[in-house]
Amino acid sequence: MLISRRLFSVLGLCAAAAFLLPGAAHAKIVDTEAAMTELVIGKEDAPVEVIEYASLSCPACEYFHANIYPVIKTEYIETGKVKFIFRDFPTNSAGLAAAMIARCAGPERHEGMVDIFFDTQKQWGRSENPLQALGMVARMAGLGPGDVDQCVRNSSLMNAIQDKARKANEEMGVKATPTLFVNGEMVEHAMELEKMKAAIDKALKGN
């Protein structure tokens, strides 16, 4: 789960021209404090809180976000019933790099970056050079190769993400991804839509 910074000692990024897309707006990366802003989707005062621990490189997490999350978002988040919190629990170096880049894009673009990385997971996750492929995807958010390089070399951001993942493992029993909690209770079989909805409905009745 916890990735050594030694894995980032050889980044192997291509020349800047390889990443440039015509007309792409350039946006600077944010500092570590801003990057670690909690990703919260939905009304802050929603009666039910759902927390997901996920790795952007995890195929099961990609399945959840493609098949389960859209229903939860439509039926519960957008109707003000659920506040959804996404937390990183990287399971390999590529997942950690993706989490760092998504956060470096800044709080306003974090949700969109998570969506983009899940949507393109099969491409960058299977690449011989995942970091290079992630950098190409990051161009969609206006992050250039220099930004990506600077981001993944940010040891304070790397440590902050891994410290939170370690805390989730030690204090909440998170061992795999995705792991979901509804009002503090871990959901069994969260990959089954009806089980996930049942857990939320039960929490709604208790409020």
Side-chain angles (χ1 to χ4, degrees):
M1 177 189 72
L2 302 177
I3 313 300
S4 168
R5 67 172 57 92
R6 290 173 58 193
L7 292 174
F8 291 97
S9 61
V10 285
L11 297 178
L13 290 176
C14 287
F19 295 100
L20 295 178
L21 298 179
H26 183 72
K28 295 293 184 181
I29 62 175
V30 300
D31 60 23
T32 298
E33 182 178 0
M36 289 305 298
T37 301
E38 185 105 284
L39 176 51
V40 180
I41 305 164
K43 292 177 60 178
E44 187 64 38
D45 61 350
V48 172
E49 179 183 85
V50 176
I51 300 176
E52 178 191 12
Y53 287 90
S55 174
L56 293 174
S57 61
C58 159
C61 300
E62 186 277 329
Y63 177 89
F64 180 88
H65 275 264
N67 298 280
I68 311 297
Y69 177 72
V71 178
I72 302 303
K73 186 174 184 180
T74 299
E75 297 186 12
Y76 297 98
I77 299 174
E78 293 178 351
T79 56
K81 299 175 182 178
V82 162
K83 174 177 69 174
F84 191 94
I85 300 174
F86 178 90
R87 292 180 178 168
D88 294 304
F89 195 87
T91 55
N92 57 26
S93 59
L96 177 56
M100 294 173 72
I101 296 168
R103 288 183 173 278
C104 282
E108 293 183 356
R109 292 175 292 163
H110 191 181
E111 180 183 358
M113 290 296 290
V114 168
D115 291 340
I116 289 172
F117 281 141
F118 274 133
D119 289 345
T120 60
Q121 184 195 91
K122 290 181 176 64
Q123 285 71 51
W124 60 264
R126 297 173 181 173
S127 172
E128 292 183 0
N129 189 334
L131 188 56
Q132 177 182 318
L134 285 167
M136 295 179 70
V137 175
R139 286 298 299 159
M140 298 180 189
L143 300 183
D147 297 319
V148 172
D149 189 14
Q150 181 182 346
C151 176
V152 297
R153 292 182 185 274
N154 183 344
S155 60
S156 65
L157 177 58
M158 182 188 302
N159 291 336
I161 292 173
Q162 294 200 105
D163 285 347
K164 285 185 176 292
R166 185 181 295 106
K167 183 177 180 180
N169 172 254
E170 295 173 352
E171 298 183 4
M172 302 185 70
V174 179
K175 299 178 180 178
T177 55
T179 295
L180 288 107
F181 294 84
V182 174
N183 279 0
E185 293 189 14
M186 189 182 294
V187 180
E188 297 289 341
H189 308 294
M191 295 293 286
E192 299 177 30
L193 177 59
E194 293 309 314
K195 295 290 179 63
M196 191 66 204
K197 291 177 63 175
I200 296 174
D201 290 338
K202 178 182 178 181
L204 285 168
K205 292 177 181 179
N207 285 278

